[in-house]
Amino acid sequence: MDKNIFMELLAKREFKAVRSILNVMNAVDIASLLSELQDKELAQAFRLIPKEKAAEVFANMGNTMQGDLIDLFTEKELKEVLNDMFMDDTVDLLEDLPANVVTRILEAVGPEKRAQINKLLNYPEDSVGSIMTTEYVDLRKWMTVKQAMNHIRQVGIHKETIYTCYVLEARRLIGIVTAKDLMTADDETQIEELMEKEIISIKTHDDQEEAARLFSRYDLLALPVLDLDECMVGIVTVDDAMDVVVDEATEDMTLMAAINPSEDTYFETSVIQHAKNRIPWLLILMLSAAVTGAIITRYEEAFAAIPILVSFIPMLMDTGGNCGSQSSTLVIRGIALGEIEFKDLFRVMFKEFRISLIVGATLAVANGLRILIQYRNPSLALVIAVSLVATIIIAKMIGCVLPLLAKKVHLDPAIMASPLITTLVDTCSILVYFHIATLIFHLSL
Amino acid sequence: MDKNIFMELLAKREFKAVRSILNVMNAVDIASLLSELQDKELAQAFRLIPKEKAAEVFANMGNTMQGDLIDLFTEKELKEVLNDMFMDDTVDLLEDLPANVVTRILEAVGPEKRAQINKLLNYPEDSVGSIMTTEYVDLRKWMTVKQAMNHIRQVGIHKETIYTCYVLEARRLIGIVTAKDLMTADDETQIEELMEKEIISIKTHDDQEEAARLFSRYDLLALPVLDLDECMVGIVTVDDAMDVVVDEATEDMTLMAAINPSEDTYFETSVIQHAKNRIPWLLILMLSAAVTGAIITRYEEAFAAIPILVSFIPMLMDTGGNCGSQSSTLVIRGIALGEIEFKDLFRVMFKEFRISLIVGATLAVANGLRILIQYRNPSLALVIAVSLVATIIIAKMIGCVLPLLAKKVHLDPAIMASPLITTLVDTCSILVYFHIATLIFHLSL
């Protein structure tokens, strides 16, 4: 749908045409189409969306737009939209709205839903509780397939997912029945016979990344969530798990590039906000790099005697940084995917040590030969080759150890990525380089 | 399940116990438990897995293990496992096996399945065709809900997903009916009345990342795949889309750290293979850094006259590299998520330019003041401050432009990440730095 045509139709008050367009469009696409509109036009267009789609369109809007719309809603409209929204979407909405709007919404939803929302709002950010929904289909083991199907028909229409049903006994989860089982079984079969008793579940306070890992490991459509007393309180659905995977990868990449993560897209974030997200780490890293600078001044006499030494600084620093970030990236990603844990520390170190020997030897030979041919100076070639090997070993050790240590002390391993590793490795490589140079060239300091 | 206990039971030939353990375990977990076993033991354990679970366990094994097992299978066993496997898993299996084993498998599956497999094998790697499955439930619009349910009961048991059913007419997709609609509608309702006509679909030759983006945008469970003639040929399921999201993020991060991506996990990859994946980029980047070194030699007289200039090289290089990688990371991720396209080039450049002015000014003031206080040398402070601003602007421009250019010429934008950007920015920043220094200090070269 062309946005300009749509705006024109709206401006010309061709409401019939607008309504028929909105009628055939997907809720997600309507939400992005409406994102161009403001205030009066926005409210007008929203009122033309077919009733059964309105809540879904609303749930797919950005937070600013949702806030604007709520301001324009009558109490009746607000109630209608909130009634049709899934519990987890309502909670997402509330998490980012100003307090007075939140109060207005909580008043509109009625006491029962309000209690559920308040409970969900209290789960820590990034916990499973914060992304779960409390709407799911619960069955009893004595039901027949026919009774179960009738139960789904009665309650299932408003449930976010009905493809995995949960068999409860005194609020405990005792089995899982899929819609597939129900649809392909005889009407008179008892749920107890059908239900799967090996249950994969998660706790409300577990990390949402753990939930996402279970989804991709076991190819789930929904994951039951238990509270501390092992009672079932909700489910996480696969679409939310997919969002977690995408968002966490983005967050890790952003952190790994020394940027404070933002929840908005690149263009949604303002220039000022972009600058704010980037400056703190740059400042810290810039001032740390001054340490490397201070070390260099200590070796002033060395490069005054042999000025060519200075020209190898960039190559050593870059190679050290690159080697360190190779190791740290693989370890950070391995931790995120649950493939590497803190207990693997020595296994990882030993592996990285052997890798750094091979990598170091190869690079040292390549660069040593180049220098030998270019400068015909065997001592210089030796200094560079030995410094390279030492730098690479140090870089890979720092690169693999720091993310695991961060994990151990409950920091996000992603902050231990290239920029920080590079700065640390710089200091080490400069120290090693000039130390080796003074030794081999018999320079006195 | 403790692996040691399991191995002991197997060694002591306690088959009853082993079988009962395997009976209650999840197929994914059995696959990882069996990964410790070899040859005879492996075949023995595999034969103890309940028949209905065997194919799923097999599908969840690593490629090496699958190959080993196939060698140990009788023709009958091979046929049984292959019969129960989903089409897309079978194709995944064949893609990584040696040719003689592939031939043996293709002979075992029978002509019809063989034709389908051969077709799927011909889709390019990373295309939608390569991850789709040809098994789905197809309905006709004249069917009633009752007829549709009966159809599902007959054919659906072996279909990978039955929760989205496709209404076909002359092989064209004309509508979609969800299992939820079927379960909650009256028995006599006609499919035509129930079916959704706004269909989100994808083509066989589209990129699998595009499919993954549609899944997360529209919260889908399955996505219908059409061929060039718009006929329906298969579906992609949400579990495969989730794998694509995870794998592509890992691949991007790996590439962004100058490592050739591997499909194996960190520990599965051998030391030699790790070294092989890391050395090529390091060599290229190391030799490119020699260019920066060569530039430095040209300014030998400058730092012979003012040796302190050398000590700011690490700070400038690191800051430039960090600024460049901030921009490139955000742009690379934006491209991967479909938020930034090549047509946004100038919009991105203008945004990054404004950001770099703010970031540059802040960092220049911070560092200039530090130098002024530490060295009481206003000219030096000025040189560093101006060089910083220039370096940051250059770094952010290179960082945002290169990934978009790479995308334009169909290279993976992820290779235009920190390491390459850093090396390029180094050369520029050293040039700018010494140029500004010679100007301000009136040095002659």
Side-chain angles (χ1 to χ4, degrees):
Chain A
M1 182 62 217
D2 187 281
K3 288 190 182 179
N4 296 328
I5 298 178
F6 183 82
M7 309 268 271
E8 223 182 289
L9 286 173
L10 203 63
K12 287 189 181 154
R13 309 182 63 82
E14 301 268 13
F15 294 148
K16 243 192 181 154
V18 172
R19 196 177 282 136
S20 69
I21 289 167
L22 293 174
N23 214 7
V24 298
M25 274 177 78
N26 183 292
V28 180
D29 296 323
I30 297 180
S32 84
L33 184 64
L34 263 53
S35 68
E36 308 278 305
L37 305 180
Q38 301 218 320
D39 298 350
K40 239 189 68 193
E41 276 180 323
L42 175 62
Q44 210 170 44
F46 192 82
R47 284 174 188 132
L48 293 169
I49 299 170
K51 274 263 178 309
E52 70 278 10
K53 244 187 244 179
E56 207 187 332
V57 173
F58 185 78
N60 275 295
M61 288 175 171
N63 285 120
T64 332
M65 235 173 112
Q66 288 175 330
D68 291 350
L69 256 183
I70 291 174
D71 287 341
L72 300 163
F73 278 162
T74 63
E75 288 310 308
K76 186 166 162 279
E77 282 175 326
L78 183 59
K79 266 189 195 154
E80 275 172 9
V81 166
L82 290 172
N83 254 337
D84 287 348
M85 265 171 79
F86 292 122
M87 188 59 80
D88 53 347
D89 290 333
T90 315
V91 173
D92 281 350
L93 166 68
L94 292 179
E95 274 168 348
D96 294 290
L97 286 178
N100 58 331
V101 187
V102 172
T103 318
R104 197 176 149 213
I105 290 177
L106 286 178
E107 274 165 17
V109 294
E112 196 194 338
K113 208 168 176 177
R114 182 156 61 234
Q116 282 185 321
I117 290 176
N118 274 324
K119 206 173 156 202
L120 288 177
L121 278 174
N122 283 329
Y123 289 111
E125 201 188 344
D126 295 339
S127 73
V128 169
S130 73
I131 55 164
M132 79 176 180
T133 181
T134 50
E135 296 155 318
Y136 57 90
V137 178
D138 55 332
L139 303 176
R140 296 291 175 276
K141 65 177 182 186
W142 44 259
M143 286 180 174
T144 62
V145 167
K146 198 171 179 175
Q147 285 170 320
M149 289 289 245
N150 277 332
H151 180 70
I152 291 175
R153 254 180 226 123
Q154 280 166 31
V155 303
I157 301 175
H158 291 291
K159 301 281 173 176
E160 187 162 13
T161 174
I162 60 170
Y163 298 140
T164 319
C165 303
Y166 301 90
V167 189
L168 300 187
E169 196 169 64
R171 295 186 54 219
R172 307 262 157 149
L173 178 60
I174 58 167
I176 286 179
V177 180
T178 65
K180 182 174 169 178
D181 298 332
L182 292 176
M183 289 168 79
T184 50
D186 266 347
D187 274 0
E188 297 311 316
T189 318
Q190 252 198 335
I191 293 299
E192 195 171 9
E193 290 169 51
L194 278 183
M195 72 188 190
E196 180 69 64
K197 282 174 215 152
E198 306 156 23
I199 301 169
I200 294 151
S201 67
I202 196 159
K203 294 288 171 67
T204 46
H205 280 76
D206 285 341
D207 194 310
Q208 57 179 19
E209 283 186 78
E210 179 56 29
R213 274 196 287 272
L214 290 177
F215 271 90
S216 57
R217 180 172 166 95
Y218 295 106
D219 292 348
L220 306 172
L221 290 183
L223 177 66
V225 183
L226 312 182
D227 65 12
L228 293 175
D229 306 322
E230 302 280 331
C231 292
M232 175 145 178
V233 288
I235 58 170
V236 176
T237 52
V238 68
D239 52 320
D240 293 323
M242 176 89 95
D243 290 345
V244 169
V245 170
V246 173
D247 292 348
E248 292 288 342
T250 305
E251 195 186 303
D252 278 357
M253 285 186 200
T254 314
L255 262 180
M256 284 162 82
I259 308 170
N260 289 328
S262 123
E263 291 202 352
D264 297 316
T265 65
Y266 178 81
F267 287 120
E268 277 170 21
T269 311
S270 69
V271 169
I272 299 286
Q273 191 55 49
H274 267 296
K276 273 191 194 159
N277 293 340
R278 300 184 195 182
I279 289 174
W281 273 107
L282 287 177
L283 268 180
I284 297 172
L285 294 170
M286 184 178 75
L287 297 177
S288 323
V291 176
T292 315
I295 293 173
I296 289 184
T297 25
R298 273 180 42 202
Y299 291 97
E300 216 174 282
E301 286 171 51
F303 61 80
I306 311 171
I308 191 81
L309 285 180
V310 175
S311 74
F312 294 100
I313 292 179
M315 191 271 296
L316 275 175
M317 277 175 53
D318 282 350
T319 306
N322 292 336
C323 283
S325 72
Q326 286 183 333
S327 305
S328 68
T329 302
L330 290 181
V331 172
I332 289 169
R333 188 61 182 161
I335 295 174
L337 295 178
E339 292 163 3
I340 301 178
E341 292 171 49
F342 184 73
K343 68 171 172 54
D344 299 317
L345 181 64
F346 292 107
R347 213 175 138 202
V348 172
M349 283 177 73
F350 182 52
K351 190 150 194 162
E352 286 299 312
F353 181 72
R354 286 175 294 162
I355 297 169
S356 62
L357 286 184
I358 301 178
V359 172
T362 314
L363 265 59
V365 168
N367 217 353
L369 282 180
R370 176 182 78 87
I371 291 164
L372 203 58
I373 294 168
Q374 197 174 344
Y375 302 93
R376 306 195 171 280
N377 183 340
S379 303
L380 185 63
L382 185 66
V383 169
I384 302 300
V386 176
S387 304
L388 256 180
V389 174
T391 300
I392 291 171
I393 293 174
I394 295 170
K396 292 223 172 275
M397 288 299 108
I398 294 181
C400 73
V401 169
L402 284 191
L404 283 165
L405 288 181
K407 177 77 188 170
K408 182 72 182 172
V409 298
H410 301 290
L411 283 173
D412 191 330
I415 59 171
M416 298 298 176
S418 335
L420 197 67
I421 303 276
T422 302
T423 311
L424 287 174
V425 170
D426 280 354
T427 315
C428 301
S429 59
I430 293 290
L431 264 178
V432 167
Y433 174 47
F434 280 111
H435 197 77
I436 292 174
T438 47
L439 272 181
I440 295 185
F441 286 115
H442 307 293
L443 298 167
S444 60
L445 291 182
Chain B
M1 182 63 218
D2 188 281
K3 289 191 182 181
N4 296 329
I5 298 178
F6 182 82
M7 309 269 271
E8 220 183 291
L9 285 174
L10 203 64
K12 285 189 183 155
R13 310 182 63 82
E14 301 269 12
F15 295 147
K16 243 193 183 154
V18 171
R19 198 176 282 135
S20 68
I21 289 167
L22 294 174
N23 215 7
V24 298
M25 273 178 77
N26 182 294
V28 181
D29 297 324
I30 298 179
S32 83
L33 184 65
L34 263 54
S35 68
E36 308 277 303
L37 305 179
Q38 300 218 321
D39 298 352
K40 239 189 70 194
E41 275 180 325
L42 176 61
Q44 209 170 47
F46 191 82
R47 283 174 190 132
L48 293 170
I49 299 170
K51 273 265 178 306
E52 70 279 8
K53 243 187 246 179
E56 207 188 332
V57 173
F58 185 77
N60 275 294
M61 289 175 170
N63 284 122
T64 332
M65 235 175 111
Q66 287 176 329
D68 291 351
L69 256 183
I70 291 175
D71 287 343
L72 300 164
F73 278 162
T74 63
E75 288 310 308
K76 186 164 163 282
E77 281 175 325
L78 182 61
K79 268 189 193 155
E80 276 172 7
V81 167
L82 289 173
N83 255 336
D84 288 346
M85 264 170 80
F86 293 122
M87 187 58 79
D88 55 345
D89 290 334
T90 315
V91 173
D92 281 351
L93 166 69
L94 292 181
E95 273 168 347
D96 295 288
L97 286 178
N100 58 331
V101 187
V102 172
T103 317
R104 196 176 150 212
I105 289 177
L106 286 177
E107 274 166 17
V109 293
E112 196 193 342
K113 207 167 178 178
R114 181 156 61 232
Q116 283 184 321
I117 290 175
N118 273 325
K119 207 172 155 201
L120 289 177
L121 279 175
N122 282 327
Y123 289 112
E125 203 189 341
D126 295 339
S127 73
V128 169
S130 74
I131 56 165
M132 76 177 182
T133 179
T134 50
E135 296 156 318
Y136 57 91
V137 178
D138 54 333
L139 304 176
R140 296 293 174 273
K141 64 179 182 184
W142 44 261
M143 286 180 174
T144 62
V145 167
K146 198 170 179 178
Q147 286 170 320
M149 290 289 245
N150 277 333
H151 180 70
I152 291 173
R153 252 178 227 124
Q154 280 166 31
V155 303
I157 301 174
H158 291 291
K159 301 280 172 176
E160 188 163 13
T161 173
I162 59 170
Y163 297 140
T164 319
C165 304
Y166 301 90
V167 188
L168 300 188
E169 196 170 64
R171 295 185 55 218
R172 307 261 156 149
L173 179 60
I174 57 167
I176 285 179
V177 180
T178 64
K180 181 173 167 180
D181 298 332
L182 292 176
M183 289 167 79
T184 51
D186 265 349
D187 273 1
E188 297 310 317
T189 316
Q190 252 197 335
I191 293 300
E192 196 172 6
E193 290 169 50
L194 278 183
M195 72 188 188
E196 180 71 65
K197 284 174 214 153
E198 306 157 24
I199 301 170
I200 294 151
S201 66
I202 198 161
K203 294 287 170 68
T204 44
H205 280 77
D206 285 339
D207 195 310
Q208 58 179 17
E209 281 185 78
E210 180 55 29
R213 274 196 288 271
L214 290 177
F215 270 91
S216 55
R217 179 171 167 94
Y218 296 105
D219 292 348
L220 306 170
L221 290 182
L223 177 66
V225 184
L226 312 182
D227 65 12
L228 292 176
D229 307 321
E230 302 280 333
C231 292
M232 176 150 178
V233 288
I235 56 170
V236 176
T237 51
V238 66
D239 52 320
D240 293 323
M242 177 89 95
D243 290 345
V244 170
V245 170
V246 174
D247 292 348
E248 292 288 341
T250 306
E251 196 186 303
D252 277 358
M253 286 186 200
T254 314
L255 261 180
M256 285 164 81
I259 308 170
N260 289 327
S262 121
E263 293 203 352
D264 298 316
T265 65
Y266 178 82
F267 286 120
E268 276 169 22
T269 311
S270 69
V271 168
I272 297 285
Q273 191 56 46
H274 267 296
K276 274 191 193 162
N277 293 341
R278 299 183 196 185
I279 288 175
W281 273 106
L282 288 177
L283 268 181
I284 296 172
L285 294 169
M286 184 179 75
L287 297 178
S288 324
V291 176
T292 315
I295 292 173
I296 290 184
T297 24
R298 274 180 42 200
Y299 292 96
E300 215 174 283
E301 287 170 48
F303 62 78
I306 310 171
I308 190 83
L309 285 180
V310 175
S311 73
F312 294 101
I313 291 179
M315 190 271 295
L316 276 175
M317 277 176 51
D318 282 350
T319 307
N322 291 337
C323 283
S325 71
Q326 286 183 333
S327 304
S328 68
T329 302
L330 290 181
V331 173
I332 290 168
R333 188 61 180 161
I335 295 173
L337 295 179
E339 292 163 2
I340 301 178
E341 292 171 48
F342 183 73
K343 69 172 172 55
D344 299 317
L345 180 64
F346 292 106
R347 213 174 138 202
V348 173
M349 283 177 73
F350 181 52
K351 190 152 194 160
E352 286 299 312
F353 181 72
R354 285 175 294 161
I355 297 168
S356 61
L357 287 184
I358 302 178
V359 172
T362 315
L363 265 60
V365 168
N367 216 354
L369 282 179
R370 176 183 78 88
I371 292 165
L372 204 57
I373 294 167
Q374 197 175 342
Y375 300 96
R376 306 192 173 280
N377 184 341
S379 304
L380 185 63
L382 186 67
V383 168
I384 301 300
V386 175
S387 304
L388 255 181
V389 174
T391 300
I392 289 171
I393 294 175
I394 296 171
K396 293 226 173 270
M397 289 297 108
I398 295 181
C400 73
V401 169
L402 284 191
L404 283 166
L405 288 182
K407 177 76 186 169
K408 183 71 181 172
V409 298
H410 302 290
L411 282 172
D412 193 331
I415 59 171
M416 297 298 174
S418 332
L420 196 64
I421 303 276
T422 302
T423 310
L424 286 174
V425 171
D426 280 355
T427 314
C428 301
S429 60
I430 293 292
L431 264 178
V432 167
Y433 174 47
F434 280 111
H435 198 75
I436 292 174
T438 47
L439 272 181
I440 294 185
F441 287 115
H442 306 292
L443 297 167
S444 60
L445 290 181

